[in-house]
Amino acid sequence: MENSFEAKGLRSHYIANLSLDDVGERVAICGWVARVREHGEHLVFVDVRDRTGLVQVVAHSSVDLRSEYVVQVNGLVSRRPVGTENPALATGEIELVETEIEILSPADPIPFSVQDRSEVDEATRLRFRYLDLRRDRMQENLRMRAKINSAIRASMERQGFTEIETPLLWTPTPEGAREFVVPSRLHPGLTYVLPQSPQIAKQLLMVAGFDRYYQIARCLRDEDLRADRQFEFTQLDLEASFVTQRDIMSFISDAVIAASAAAGISVDHEIGEITWRDSMDKYGVDKPDLRYGNELIDVTQVFSETSVRALSAPCLKALVAPYPSHLSRSKLDDLVDRAKGLGAKGLLWLRVVSDTDGVRLDSPVSKFLTDQESKDLIAATGVSEGDVILIVGDEWAKACQVLGQLRIDLAKSEADPRAYKFVWVVDFPLFEGVDEDGRLISAHHPFTMPNEEDFPKLDTDPLSVRSQSYDLVLNGWELGSGSIRIHRRDIQSKIFSLLGIGSEEANNRFGFLLEAFKYGAPPHGGFAFGIDRLAALLVGEENIREVIAFPKTQSGSDLMTGAPKEVENKVWDLLGLSVRPQKKDLS
RNA sequence: GGACCUGUGGUGCAGCUUGGAGUGCACGUCGGCCUGUCAAGCCGAAGGUCGCGGGUUCAAAUCCCGUCAGGUCCGCCA
């Protein structure tokens, strides 16, 4: 615990600063009553806690102290009597005696114990968040997050980045995430929106010549919440000019390595890379968890001549199940259901068993497989007795996705929680598909620069065009993404036309950016990664709520404040708005 | 919009499968005893619309339907 700063005001010392060196000195400490142990009116032990630690206070008269009372204690630092030291406590060799205890603020019995380590119902924690935050877990998490922030800032400063704030009241740019709308009072009927990210603002800063910009920025998206998604979240947002993708990746690597070090975690200084295509092929996801292996294996060729319907597919992917001993027949049936739930037509399992004739495959389709197919499958997957092979046949992407999810389902609980495997995923496709009107859909955003080698394919085979975009992944979580941006108007026009965005629409939505690009736009690119996610992973939490002081529930409520709440009609009147009755009010 | 899990004194859990008196455990709270504890100990007490509504039944915490809240996930998150 850091406590090198000076104690001021009502206290002479922070608790963690008290030690045997202070024996004989009268001190004043302030904090909360953690526990009271009363041995009759002549001997009472009071544990007092502050932000730095906990110390035992001894009183020789009855005290009216209860848990979580706020107190100031004046007392003499004293070595504990021999045999009563508590090695479990940092201050366990000393105690405060000859004490005067002043109650600064009494406390009602609290809804759940601040001292207890037991899990408390999520709703209760959130309703009394200020008490939850008093607990060690949240104190440690938020202090660690602050250190991570600090390390990131230091890294950015070291690399010559300038911190610049951008507006929270921004302009609607309808695309991508749903935006939070902020009605204008001075212009009834018109709105601002809260930014999904400072994307366009930071590109304008490049046009402005700031060259290297960063910000620890709040981003807001009105989309459904998840364990790793809140309405509002914080990103390290950066943008730089006259640089390549490699340069951006190096800036970010420096920042996340520094952040990890601040959290006491050392990681490889060379963060590995994988192409998007390879990641999908091997792991079935674009955010691979490299803490465990079990890569997917392409077995399309093995069954090219098959008569088995389930194996007649454009692509066959196989997964050798990790921990196959966990897979009973009913578990295998569950996996088949899971695969179907993920959109597969089915899932084929084959157990590798041995009998007098050697190794063979036991499966619902065994008798339909030729000896050659069995032999080739065993060779292709490298399995031996006891293994279980799972096969999905479908289009390439679907087969990969389904087995990729099964790989996670089967191995995740066995992953080393102390391992931290960063990886860059590069060469994403520029377009992720085609919408119902036949227009291409941006995989990242419409300002992403195509890979220059693939320019010729923009007209002939746009879906195969790679982009100069890159994601940073840690233990299967997407931390963030970035790209080199388009700064040339001819390329931008080309992309807009492929996306089916007419010049009028483009001007309407991004006119101010396109206009800015007329006046000397440097080549530039950037990145943003989620600090909530990084902090959660680095402190070993599985939900970003654990590193956010005042988060929302999955349904977007704040159980402490009651938000969102109704407002009086005069508030709507002022904004020139009115509220329609909800469906359920009409029935 | 959808799937699944959870909801039982202030807190954490058991009870639900197979209906039979609000039954149990731990913590906390309140009172008493206690001069070296540190998750103090001992004795005693209080504290419950079993989330809410409806249904089935002689009888519902338990079975059924609906609903609300929390969580995990799918959709969604350029």
Side-chain angles (χ1 to χ4, degrees):
Chain A
M1 185 70 65
E2 283 173 32
N3 41 281
S4 53
F5 39 84
E6 185 188 358
K8 286 181 183 285
L10 302 182
R11 49 162 64 103
S12 68
H13 288 73
Y14 281 100
I15 287 171
N17 285 347
L18 298 175
S19 70
L20 285 174
D21 295 341
D22 302 301
V23 167
E25 189 176 343
R26 284 204 74 84
V27 299
I29 61 167
C30 291
W32 282 260
V33 173
R35 280 200 184 82
V36 179
R37 292 178 296 279
E38 193 170 354
H39 291 241
E41 62 185 27
H42 300 296
L43 180 62
V44 183
F45 298 106
V46 182
D47 288 343
V48 176
R49 179 190 71 233
D50 71 11
R51 58 176 278 193
T52 66
L54 187 136
V55 72
Q56 174 164 284
V57 168
V58 185
H60 290 284
S61 61
S62 189
V63 291
D64 182 26
L65 286 179
R66 323 258 162 141
S67 287
E68 303 307 319
Y69 273 35
V70 180
V71 294
Q72 179 197 38
V73 180
N74 281 282
L76 185 68
V77 179
S78 170
R79 180 188 283 273
R80 287 197 188 189
V82 173
T84 67
E85 300 89 351
N86 182 356
L89 204 57
T91 59
E93 290 188 288
I94 57 165
E95 60 191 7
L96 295 192
V97 301
E98 297 178 22
T99 48
E100 297 164 32
I101 302 173
E102 180 171 356
I103 296 172
L104 300 175
S105 185
D108 286 351
I110 59 172
F112 55 90
S113 170
V114 170
Q115 295 300 315
D116 211 33
R117 311 145 190 79
S118 69
E119 291 289 322
V120 178
D121 179 67
E122 191 69 27
T124 309
R125 292 179 63 196
L126 292 175
R127 172 144 179 254
F128 301 98
R129 189 59 160 177
Y130 40 86
L131 295 179
D132 189 38
L133 294 177
R134 239 182 240 173
R135 290 160 47 112
D136 283 347
R137 175 190 190 175
M138 292 302 297
Q139 289 272 319
E140 287 163 12
N141 286 357
L142 293 185
R143 291 183 199 288
M144 185 58 78
R145 181 174 173 152
K147 284 191 186 176
I148 289 167
N149 263 356
S150 175
I152 289 170
R153 280 213 164 85
S155 164
M156 289 293 103
E157 300 292 332
R158 205 163 51 231
Q159 298 186 88
F161 283 78
T162 304
E163 182 175 10
I164 301 174
E165 295 179 75
T166 54
L168 276 179
L169 295 175
W170 192 243
T171 185
T173 54
E175 169 141 14
R178 207 173 290 123
E179 295 162 323
F180 280 98
V181 171
V182 182
S184 164
R185 174 181 58 85
L186 295 177
H187 306 277
L190 306 185
T191 67
Y192 307 93
V193 301
L194 304 177
Q196 307 164 31
S197 78
Q199 179 61 39
I200 295 177
K202 67 178 174 178
Q203 292 191 244
L204 293 169
L205 290 171
M206 293 304 102
V207 177
F210 282 98
D211 192 69
R212 292 184 186 185
Y213 139 92
Y214 87 101
Q215 180 183 191
I216 291 183
R218 197 69 66 87
C219 305
L220 300 108
R221 296 180 188 173
D222 189 2
E223 297 289 351
D224 289 1
L225 293 79
R226 288 282 192 286
D228 61 353
R229 276 160 39 191
Q230 286 270 315
F231 284 152
E232 43 187 312
F233 57 100
T234 306
Q235 293 196 324
L236 169 68
D237 189 55
L238 69 74
E239 195 81 6
S241 297
F242 308 107
V243 294
T244 65
Q245 172 174 337
R246 298 285 138 198
D247 300 316
I248 304 277
M249 289 161 69
S250 140
F251 294 140
I252 291 289
S253 294
D254 188 277
V256 294
I257 289 166
S260 302
I265 290 158
S266 68
V267 297
D268 294 342
H269 276 239
E270 280 294 317
I271 294 178
E273 282 178 36
I274 185 170
T275 65
W276 175 83
R277 180 91 199 176
D278 277 353
S279 180
M280 293 302 294
D281 255 335
K282 290 181 177 172
Y283 306 106
V285 289
D286 59 7
K287 43 182 181 180
D289 191 337
L290 299 184
R291 288 175 300 168
Y292 40 91
N294 299 95
E295 294 179 11
L296 310 186
I297 300 154
D298 196 296
V299 294
T300 314
Q301 283 308 311
V302 173
F303 297 103
S304 55
E305 306 289 322
T306 188
S307 57
V308 181
R309 203 167 191 198
L311 294 170
S312 305
C315 176
L316 290 175
K317 281 282 177 180
L319 170 69
V320 179
Y323 315 103
S325 58
H326 298 187
L327 292 175
S328 61
R329 178 60 199 260
S330 71
K331 283 275 173 54
L332 287 170
D333 289 341
D334 290 346
L335 280 183
V336 173
D337 290 342
R338 171 73 170 146
K340 287 178 178 167
L342 292 166
K345 296 181 192 75
L347 172 75
L348 192 58
W349 53 262
L350 307 96
R351 286 196 225 246
V352 185
V353 296
S354 67
D355 56 21
T356 48
D357 301 331
V359 176
R360 63 178 181 82
L361 295 170
D362 170 37
S363 162
V365 299
S366 312
K367 61 184 169 186
F368 303 113
L369 302 183
T370 65
D371 286 350
Q372 190 62 44
E373 285 169 342
S374 294
K375 201 181 292 179
D376 289 350
L377 180 62
I378 289 169
T381 53
V383 290
S384 53
E385 186 190 352
D387 281 334
V388 178
I389 305 170
L390 306 171
I391 296 181
V392 171
D394 212 309
E395 298 295 331
W396 172 77
K398 176 64 76 181
C400 292
Q401 281 164 18
V402 172
L403 272 188
Q405 188 58 52
L406 293 185
R407 170 181 173 269
I408 295 169
D409 292 349
L410 292 169
K412 190 174 185 186
S413 61
E414 310 287 338
D416 180 356
R418 287 171 311 250
Y420 289 86
K421 300 284 190 185
F422 284 97
V423 63
W424 286 104
V425 181
V426 300
D427 289 349
F428 274 78
L430 186 62
F431 304 106
E432 65 181 14
V434 179
D435 71 12
E436 55 272 19
D437 299 329
R439 295 185 299 194
L440 291 160
I441 303 165
S442 280
H444 190 52
H445 58 57
F447 316 116
T448 305
M449 182 72 99
N451 186 310
E452 282 165 38
E453 289 172 17
D454 294 348
F455 275 3
K457 292 199 282 189
L458 277 171
D459 289 309
T460 55
D461 186 13
L463 285 174
S464 76
V465 173
R466 292 165 298 166
S467 64
Q468 297 188 50
S469 67
Y470 31 93
D471 278 12
L472 180 61
V473 173
L474 173 55
N475 291 2
W477 283 28
E478 183 196 320
L479 283 187
S481 60
S483 62
I484 297 297
R485 327 296 184 188
I486 299 169
H487 68 283
R488 276 170 44 187
R489 275 185 281 165
D490 55 336
I491 301 174
Q492 188 67 69
S493 301
K494 177 80 199 169
I495 298 298
F496 278 154
S497 76
L498 288 168
L499 292 170
I501 299 174
S503 60
E504 190 180 340
E505 186 187 353
N507 272 324
N508 204 19
R509 277 157 60 174
F510 320 113
F512 59 100
L513 178 68
L514 301 177
E515 183 180 52
F517 279 7
K518 294 177 184 172
Y519 299 114
H524 62 284
F527 198 86
F529 72 77
I531 291 180
D532 314 86
R533 289 181 183 179
L534 178 64
L537 287 164
L538 291 178
V539 301
E541 295 285 3
E542 292 183 350
N543 194 303
I544 63 170
R545 284 191 304 269
E546 307 302 342
V547 293
I548 297 173
F550 300 106
K552 306 280 187 290
T553 68
Q554 189 161 42
S555 63
S557 302
D558 181 330
L559 298 181
M560 185 179 65
T561 65
K565 280 182 180 167
E566 292 183 348
V567 292
E568 292 176 43
N569 275 329
K570 65 182 183 189
V571 175
W572 296 121
D573 289 345
L574 193 63
L575 297 168
L577 300 174
S578 64
V579 178
R580 274 199 306 217
Q582 297 296 298
K583 276 186 212 149
K584 55 186 163 190
D585 298 334
L586 293 172
S587 57

